[in-house]
Amino acid sequence: MDFSLNEEQRGWQMEARKFAEEEIRPISLKRDQIADPRETFDWEIIRKGSKLGFRTLAVPREWGGHEADFVTQALVMTELAKGDSSISKTFSQCWKWSHLIAASCTEDQKERFLKPFLADDTFVLGKGGSEANAGSDNRMPPEDDPKAGWKLQAERKGDEWILNGTKLYIANGSVAKLFFVDARTDPNVGIREGSTMFMIPKDTPGFRVGKVFNKRGWRFYQNGELIFENARVPHANVVGAVNGGVKARATDKSEFGDLELAANALGICDDAAGLGMNFARTRKRAGKLLIDHQLVQLKLNEMYALTEALRSFVMRVAWERDQKLPDTGNNVLVMNYSTDVVQRVTRLNMEIHGAEGCMMNARVDKLVRDAMIWTHLAGDTVQRVKVVKRLGV
């Protein structure tokens, strides 16, 4: 397998690296340390990144996007995450849903939603799935149990659907202009057969954003509460078929999926490894540089070994996706592996920094807090069980 980058891939990587170093990193800690979770967001960085193509990276060229392949997406995600993981996630969150519009939605929906998305540098997207009592069940719902999974109700009234219920912890929840929302349209069957996906603009009557959640890590990245009180959604906003929401992107093979999270984690690991090495080369303990202490050398070795192993896995999975090879479970395995690696590498970085890492170096602390998010991303534990089942164990 040849993993060398072509000119276009290298160009995107360098552009993302430059943007992360010059624009994202200088504001990263300042935004992270704002107390009010609603105020951590910065529209200016979104506008700047959007003008460079980072918001519309995955949209097909025929619609005015860049149609970046998976290797390019992984490279860009990693470089942006080296500047700030949560800002990188804000951009990549738009890739899978903008591409879903292009790949699976009707021509009318593309005209109404994809064109405005491409034209507006502040148009970001969100996905409403999780609910207070419906989280992991959405990833691996009990077969034929109508009580498991989403509870948000949608009832058809003529050419409209009336939605009632609440979604929690929703990506880009307080800033998105368009949400993809899963709702129960047949409460008598399981969610695989009784749910529908809707596109819901933020100005939909009866729909509003509630609280914005105060998180330990990924503080820039907004997670909000979506409240539906007799929200009126046109039938024309249904994605795919009624009661076919779980299958809405079954024919769309372009979703970044769990690879997105692994590539983001790789960026954090790159940042942490660099911080640890720089600190070891410039600080002394017991009369000599830290890097001359064997224990520190062992920690650095482990950090770099784990980071490079994750890089190889990320790039392999991205390449396999570009080659349209059958997924043997690697797309989920790489996310599972990144969960363990990113938390181990950031902790080793904090150990190398010692007391300074815990109390004085805000970026060391931030990386640890951001890495903690992986424990709860995309139903990580449930995904591990799914992979085992898929492997036939």
Side-chain angles (χ1 to χ4, degrees):
M1 293 181 288
D2 182 6
F3 290 156
S4 59
L5 304 181
N6 61 39
E7 185 176 343
E8 183 177 5
Q9 291 166 340
R10 178 67 71 180
W12 276 109
Q13 183 186 42
M14 292 299 102
E15 188 71 38
R17 183 174 299 175
K18 183 174 185 289
F19 184 68
E21 291 175 352
E22 297 181 359
E23 301 289 347
I24 296 179
R25 198 175 188 91
I27 72 167
S28 175
L29 285 179
K30 181 179 179 181
R31 307 313 302 185
D32 176 79
Q33 293 170 352
I34 295 174
D36 185 346
R38 286 182 180 272
E39 300 300 322
T40 60
F41 200 79
D42 178 18
W43 280 112
E44 186 58 27
I45 197 69
I46 301 302
R47 292 188 184 94
K48 289 179 178 179
S50 182
K51 291 183 184 302
L52 293 173
F54 298 131
R55 189 180 55 87
T56 55
L57 189 68
V59 177
R61 287 190 178 91
E62 64 184 282
W63 281 92
H66 302 283
E67 201 169 342
D69 59 19
F70 286 110
V71 168
T72 301
Q73 291 178 53
L75 292 169
V76 170
M77 185 77 168
T78 297
E79 294 296 337
L80 295 181
K82 286 165 66 175
D84 188 286
S85 173
S86 56
I87 293 177
S88 181
K89 183 65 172 72
T90 301
F91 282 115
S92 69
Q93 178 68 19
C94 296
W95 301 352
K96 47 193 172 186
W97 304 114
S98 60
H99 202 292
L100 173 62
I101 303 175
S104 302
C105 289
T106 66
E107 292 302 312
D108 169 67
Q109 290 170 338
K110 293 174 186 176
E111 289 288 332
R112 288 189 293 123
F113 297 119
L114 189 57
K115 281 190 173 181
F117 170 77
L118 288 162
D120 183 353
D121 289 332
T122 64
F123 199 127
V124 296
L125 303 172
K127 169 64 163 65
S130 297
E131 299 178 11
N133 296 303
S136 297
D137 282 351
N138 304 325
R139 278 282 181 161
M140 193 167 63
E143 295 296 327
D144 303 321
D145 184 353
K147 295 182 179 180
W150 303 303
K151 303 296 189 297
L152 177 68
Q153 293 292 318
E155 182 179 0
R156 188 166 184 177
K157 299 288 186 181
D159 289 333
E160 291 184 321
W161 290 84
I162 310 302
L163 275 64
N164 283 284
T166 304
K167 296 287 185 180
L168 295 179
Y169 316 122
I170 303 308
N172 286 340
S174 63
V175 295
K177 293 187 176 181
L178 177 68
F179 294 92
F180 291 79
V181 176
D182 298 299
R184 297 296 287 268
T185 41
D186 185 348
N188 299 312
V189 296
I191 66 171
R192 293 192 183 281
E193 304 300 328
S195 66
T196 302
M197 182 183 289
F198 297 89
M199 286 188 286
I200 301 181
K202 70 174 185 178
D203 59 357
T204 296
F207 166 59
R208 61 187 172 90
V209 176
K211 68 177 71 173
V212 174
F213 295 96
N214 195 20
K215 307 189 301 296
R216 183 173 296 277
W218 265 13
R219 294 188 56 75
F220 181 97
Y221 188 56
Q222 301 286 289
N223 287 89
E225 176 187 34
L226 309 184
I227 300 173
F228 300 85
E229 297 170 322
N230 292 321
R232 308 177 72 87
V233 180
H235 179 70
N237 287 13
V238 169
V239 180
V242 173
N243 293 325
V246 174
K247 307 164 190 170
R249 65 184 319 161
T251 59
D252 175 19
K253 304 304 181 183
S254 62
E255 183 184 6
F256 201 76
D258 295 313
L259 178 61
E260 173 193 26
L261 305 177
N264 190 309
L266 177 59
I268 295 178
C269 291
D270 274 336
D271 191 11
L275 286 174
M277 180 64 77
N278 182 65
F279 189 81
R281 284 173 169 168
T282 57
R283 296 297 199 280
K284 289 185 176 182
R285 294 289 186 274
K288 59 182 180 180
L289 290 172
L290 280 174
I291 200 168
D292 292 328
H293 290 264
Q294 188 178 71
L295 180 60
V296 174
Q297 293 170 358
L298 293 174
K299 291 180 185 294
L300 287 169
N301 176 277
E302 184 178 358
M303 290 173 70
Y304 276 90
L306 288 171
T307 299
E308 291 309 313
L310 177 58
R311 192 185 321 280
S312 295
F313 203 174
V314 166
M315 298 312 298
R316 173 188 168 183
V317 172
W319 180 85
E320 289 176 344
R321 297 286 300 280
D322 283 331
Q323 302 303 312
K324 297 180 172 55
L325 299 178
D327 180 17
T328 58
N330 282 342
N331 196 49
V332 176
L333 280 173
V334 71
M335 190 274 284
N336 296 152
Y337 182 63
S338 73
T339 298
D340 298 333
V341 169
V342 73
Q343 294 183 67
R344 178 60 179 163
V345 170
T346 54
R347 177 170 176 173
L348 285 167
N349 181 43
M350 178 169 277
E351 290 176 0
I352 289 172
H353 280 76
E356 182 170 333
C358 297
M359 297 182 291
M360 296 167 58
N361 192 312
R363 189 160 190 89
V364 172
D365 174 72
K366 179 185 187 301
L367 295 183
V368 172
R369 289 186 286 106
D370 286 346
M372 291 170 60
I373 300 294
W374 263 255
T375 305
H376 307 285
L377 283 176
D380 181 62
T381 301
V382 175
Q383 292 289 67
R384 293 175 193 249
V385 174
K386 287 180 67 176
V387 169
V388 171
K389 289 179 178 292
R390 185 170 184 170
L391 295 174
V393 178

